[in-house]
Amino acid sequence: MEIPSSTSIPSKMKAWVYGEYGNVSDVLKLDSNVTVPQVKEDQVLIKVVAASINPVDAKRMLGMFKASDSPVPTVPGYDVAGVVVKVGSQVKRLKVGDEVYGDINEKALDHPKRFGSLAEYTAVEENLLALKPKNLSFAEAASLPLVIETAHEGLERTGFSAGKSILVLGGAGGVGTQIIQLAKHVFGASTVAATSSTSKLELLKSLGADLAIDYTKENFEDLPEKFDVVYDAVGQCDRAVKAVKEDGSVVTIVGPVTPPALIFVLTSNGSVLDKLKPYLESGKVKPVLDPKGPFLFSQTAEAFSYLETSRAVGKVVIYPIP
């Protein structure tokens, strides 16, 4: 793609914006007159090529994190893949022309950026970004940062290691598809079990699940086998704690929390993407994009409506932008 020079970067851009909290269909609007964000010393300006959307975007739009959110109007979007077009004075590693990807908000719920990734340009701290693996398209790269970093952080927090068993609740979702792969192919799990609806069981197996559990037909907590770790990606913590070994660990990313489970909110870091790059480039760990996508930039509101059905497989991606 053609990289704009610093003189050709426009002052205004197209972006999806909400100026008040509410349902996506009511508050999210496409605006062609949004100011391109300024680059701070430790940031780069990215010409966005692709973005993906996450449940946190819709929850934020509803005002669920109002107390710690940045003020509206807001451009939503955490995940980005694109090309560096400008660098701040303190940027050391990245240069104009680099193809990068990342989750642009270091603290997911603590004053996330007002200028997110659902725009033609976004400004991001260098340490949140990594060079895009060459074998991945921009759309594939945009699908990964938030979910693969969340999967990785949860596994690290439980002390997951080679030879341990894990049960993944919500194995076909954005985070779940990455937990299965990381547990099996990066951490060396002895057994990976995962839940999904009937139509998605084969996907779970293709990602590395040894046991694919159809939640419409059986209750995972009734299985005779218990697991070293249960990773709850869907909000079934009260059931998750019944499926773990006595000395095992339960981690969740969706409240409420049932002791002894722990809940966490992702801290974004580009170094995790760098660490996982060999697995992505070798194909051992793959992006999983929902087959209905990618959605066009003009269809972003429709993409959110689809995400809210909870039927998406893997990630919902917006491409190309604009």
Side-chain angles (χ1 to χ4, degrees):
M1 66 176 294
E2 190 176 337
I3 301 163
S5 67
S6 56
T7 54
S8 65
I9 296 169
S11 60
K12 301 288 185 180
M13 64 178 180
K14 289 180 189 170
W16 285 90
V17 181
Y18 58 95
E20 58 183 336
Y21 293 118
N23 290 314
V24 175
S25 55
D26 296 329
V27 300
L28 190 63
K29 311 291 180 197
L30 184 58
D31 188 337
S32 301
N33 199 35
V34 177
T35 301
V36 172
Q38 294 295 308
V39 175
K40 295 176 184 170
E41 290 181 344
D42 63 341
Q43 291 182 328
V44 301
L45 186 68
I46 297 174
K47 173 72 183 77
V48 181
V49 180
S52 68
I53 59 176
N54 296 282
V56 67
D57 291 302
K59 290 175 180 177
R60 188 182 171 199
M61 228 176 293
L62 283 168
M64 290 172 70
F65 316 121
K66 199 182 293 188
S68 61
D69 204 351
S70 302
V72 292
T74 298
V75 175
Y78 282 63
D79 287 318
V80 71
V83 179
V84 175
V85 294
K86 189 175 183 179
V87 299
S89 60
Q90 299 299 312
V91 169
K92 305 281 194 297
R93 194 170 44 90
L94 299 175
K95 62 186 188 303
V96 171
D98 281 345
E99 298 182 350
V100 296
Y101 73 132
D103 170 358
I104 71 169
N105 291 306
E106 184 172 16
K107 300 288 187 185
L109 308 181
D110 184 7
H111 295 88
K113 291 182 173 67
R114 290 181 65 195
F115 291 97
S117 58
L118 292 170
E120 290 185 83
Y121 294 89
T122 193
V124 189
E125 290 77 15
E126 180 184 34
N127 69 321
L128 303 184
L129 299 169
L131 292 172
K132 178 179 76 65
K134 289 189 164 50
N135 60 315
L136 299 186
S137 68
F138 282 103
E140 289 171 328
S143 76
L144 283 168
L146 185 146
V147 292
I148 204 168
E149 290 180 37
T150 299
H152 187 270
E153 185 172 338
L155 290 166
E156 292 263 285
R157 282 173 177 261
T158 64
F160 197 73
S161 58
K164 290 188 176 181
S165 62
I166 186 170
L167 169 63
V168 183
L169 306 185
V175 176
T177 52
Q178 295 305 318
I179 302 167
I180 292 169
Q181 295 184 83
L182 295 190
K184 191 71 173 184
H185 306 305
V186 179
F187 286 78
S190 59
T191 304
V192 177
T195 65
S196 76
S197 59
T198 315
S199 63
K200 300 168 187 173
L201 297 174
E202 288 307 314
L203 169 68
L204 305 190
K205 292 175 188 171
S206 74
L207 297 174
D210 303 290
L211 177 63
I213 302 164
D214 185 342
Y215 68 70
T216 69
K217 294 179 180 168
E218 56 184 325
N219 295 322
F220 61 81
E221 65 268 43
D222 295 337
L223 290 170
E225 183 181 358
K226 302 302 175 189
F227 299 88
D228 293 309
V229 168
V230 181
Y231 197 139
D232 170 27
V234 287
Q236 296 178 334
C237 198
D238 56 332
R239 296 172 62 196
V241 295
K242 296 174 185 171
V244 72
K245 289 180 181 175
E246 204 166 301
D247 57 348
S249 304
V250 178
V251 63
T252 185
I253 52 173
V254 187
V257 183
T258 305
L262 66 93
I263 190 169
F264 75 96
V265 177
L266 172 67
T267 299
S268 170
N269 191 330
S271 67
V272 175
L273 300 177
D274 285 329
K275 178 181 174 181
L276 295 173
K277 190 175 184 182
Y279 299 95
L280 293 163
E281 290 191 330
S282 68
K284 284 184 178 175
V285 176
K286 301 178 177 72
V288 180
L289 278 64
D290 186 88
K292 284 199 189 305
F295 287 79
L296 298 174
F297 189 58
S298 59
Q299 299 173 311
T300 296
E302 294 161 50
F304 271 111
S305 296
Y306 175 58
L307 183 68
E308 289 177 331
T309 66
S310 299
R311 293 196 196 106
V313 176
K315 286 301 298 292
V316 176
V317 173
I318 311 296
Y319 171 85
I321 294 178

